[in-house]
Amino acid sequence: MLIASVSDFRKDIKSYLDRVSKNFETLIINRGKDSGIVVMSLEEYNSLMATNYELSSRINESRLDSAIEKLKSNQSFEKELIEE
């Protein structure tokens, strides 16, 4: 996680944005007492939104937990896709 003041961010905006996008880092820009902005890559944002959606209902959350437990206990299996 990167932290910068607004003035530091302004001085070197390209470098900060390159680090965020290339290294999947999160940038926090301090804007004063208890105030700030978070900058993250679009890929990271989309990933967070997908996770949020998957965990938004008890049914989805239960399915994911079950799948994780099966993987951990080696009860998973692999299937080959049928190509047409």
Side-chain angles (χ1 to χ4, degrees), residues 6-50:
V6 173
S7 58
D8 287 341
F9 179 67
R10 268 193 222 130
K11 288 177 192 172
D12 204 9
I13 189 170
K14 183 183 180 329
S15 173
Y16 280 110
L17 295 179
D18 285 346
R19 288 177 66 183
V20 166
S21 66
K22 291 178 182 173
N23 300 331
F24 298 102
E25 292 192 61
T26 302
L27 169 63
I28 297 175
I29 303 170
N30 286 327
R31 299 188 72 206
K33 186 177 181 179
D34 299 327
S35 178
I37 303 294
V38 176
V39 179
M40 66 178 66
S41 71
L42 180 59
E43 188 174 343
E44 185 72 17
Y45 174 79
N46 288 337
S47 175
L48 285 172
M49 291 299 103

